[in-house]
Amino acid sequence: MNTLLINDSRLVNATETISSIPHCIRELIENSIDAQSTIISVRLTGGGLESIVIVDNGCGISREGLELICTEGATSKILGSNTSGGRGKALNAISALSNLIVESSTSDNGTGYRLSFQDGERIIEPCARSRGTCITIQSIFHTYPVRRRYSIEHKSRIVSQIQDVCGFFAIATKISITLLVDNKNVIQVSNLNQSQRIKSILGINISKGLLTGSTCLDQWAPDSTLEYFTSSPTTQSNGKIFIVVNERPVYNNTLVHALKQEFHLCAGPKDPTIILY
């Protein structure tokens, strides 16, 4: 009985940490960026319900690191540094909600290690692997049927949200990002030019109508600036608002709501497209 209670508690905590498939992918891309990756590939099968594979060329995870990850609180990130998160909760939650395999290498000699779980037992074995990490997630939420059923019923919406997440990172960073959904290339961004990256994600019709400018924010913080791209009341828009701070996506519903309200004063019910760097 105590074991059942512990397992139930872990599952509830896991679904609070990883609430959806897009949320899962966002956390893993953040991890890849923290590992100094310059190339990130996201591959989905069955809209992510069958499998999610995220491959990066970052610094990799050592064998010793694989002994620790997927344990709550275990993290190599230094709190207070430029890395995001650092609580060590995401991979632990994902391992509770899916079948998880991690392959990683910290060297350039083509060898690394594979972490998998069998009946709760941690298995680590050598594998052929280029420098970086490959995370494979199969049957996400299979241990939490209510959340999985919801994901199946809303698969199209979830795929669209995943595309938004990957597009957001493509706009926010200079990293090469690829998203494949059931072998279809949905996003492929590698150009370092900011305007070209925006065009790749938003499309030419919206991007060509964006107004742009910048302003100094020294009165709030030293050496800080705001660069903006925004649709006008007369140009095409898609209602998406991207907020980027120090090359990381930021989600702030209060600010998004305020920006839309201000835009509505000029454009009526039309929602804007806005990018704030």
Side-chain angles (χ1 to χ4, degrees):
M1 182 64 176
N2 288 339
T3 302
L4 289 173
L5 289 173
I6 291 171
N7 288 339
D8 287 347
S9 175
R10 187 188 180 206
L11 284 174
V12 170
N13 289 337
T15 55
E16 289 177 351
T17 301
I18 299 296
S19 59
S20 65
I21 298 176
H23 185 190
C24 171
I25 290 171
R26 190 182 86 202
E27 291 283 351
L28 294 176
I29 292 176
E30 290 276 11
N31 284 350
S32 292
I33 294 174
D34 289 341
Q36 291 113 42
S37 303
T38 58
I39 301 172
I40 300 173
S41 169
V42 181
R43 301 197 303 269
L44 308 179
T45 304
L49 286 157
E50 291 181 32
S51 71
I52 303 164
V53 180
I54 297 185
V55 182
D56 68 46
N57 67 339
C59 61
I61 306 169
S62 66
R63 193 191 192 289
E64 293 75 16
L66 292 177
E67 293 277 6
L68 293 174
I69 67 169
C70 303
T71 303
E72 186 171 357
T75 179
S76 61
K77 300 175 187 178
I78 301 172
L79 293 177
S81 67
N82 289 331
T83 59
S84 65
R87 299 172 299 158
K89 285 189 171 185
L91 280 173
N92 177 54
I94 293 167
S95 68
L97 297 168
S98 67
N99 298 316
L100 176 68
I101 299 172
V102 181
E103 293 183 353
S104 196
S105 173
T106 59
S107 68
D108 295 315
N109 62 9
T111 62
Y113 293 93
R114 177 187 296 111
L115 166 67
S116 59
F117 297 89
Q118 187 172 343
D119 297 326
E121 181 184 354
R122 184 182 296 258
I123 300 171
I124 300 176
E125 51 194 354
C127 70
R129 181 80 232 161
S130 57
R131 189 174 187 269
T133 301
C134 173
I135 293 182
T136 302
I137 300 164
Q138 296 174 327
S139 303
I140 191 166
F141 296 127
H142 77 94
T143 57
Y144 207 83
V146 173
R147 187 66 53 84
R148 182 164 177 84
R149 191 178 307 116
Y150 175 88
S151 300
I152 292 171
E153 292 172 354
H154 298 85
K155 187 170 78 169
S156 296
R157 184 193 304 173
I158 286 170
V159 170
S160 177
Q161 291 170 348
I162 292 169
Q163 185 172 344
D164 286 345
V165 168
C166 294
F168 201 162
F169 278 101
I171 282 176
T173 70
K174 295 179 181 178
I175 293 169
S176 295
I177 294 181
T178 303
L179 171 64
L180 288 93
V181 180
D182 296 325
N183 294 319
K184 180 181 179 182
N185 200 326
V186 177
I187 291 176
Q188 186 166 15
V189 178
S190 58
N191 196 310
L192 294 179
N193 180 276
Q194 186 184 60
S195 297
Q196 289 298 321
R197 295 177 78 88
I198 291 172
K199 186 184 294 183
S200 295
I201 299 303
L202 298 183
I204 189 170
N205 290 332
I206 291 177
S207 59
K208 72 180 180 181
L210 294 177
L211 306 174
T212 184
S214 62
T215 185
C216 176
L217 299 178
D218 276 352
Q219 57 182 313
W220 286 285
D223 302 319
S224 60
T225 59
L226 170 68
E227 185 178 7
Y228 63 84
F229 295 78
T230 177
S231 56
S232 76
T234 58
T235 57
Q236 285 192 33
S237 63
N238 59 7
K240 298 186 186 299
I241 296 180
F242 305 88
I243 304 167
V244 180
V245 178
N246 296 335
E247 297 190 358
R248 289 296 178 99
V250 173
Y251 300 85
N252 188 311
N253 289 331
T254 302
L255 182 53
V256 167
H257 182 68
L259 289 168
K260 286 184 176 181
Q261 278 192 319
E262 287 297 315
F263 192 83
H264 290 165
L265 293 176
C266 301
K270 178 182 178 181
D271 281 337
T273 297
I274 297 175
I275 305 171
L276 301 181
Y277 288 99

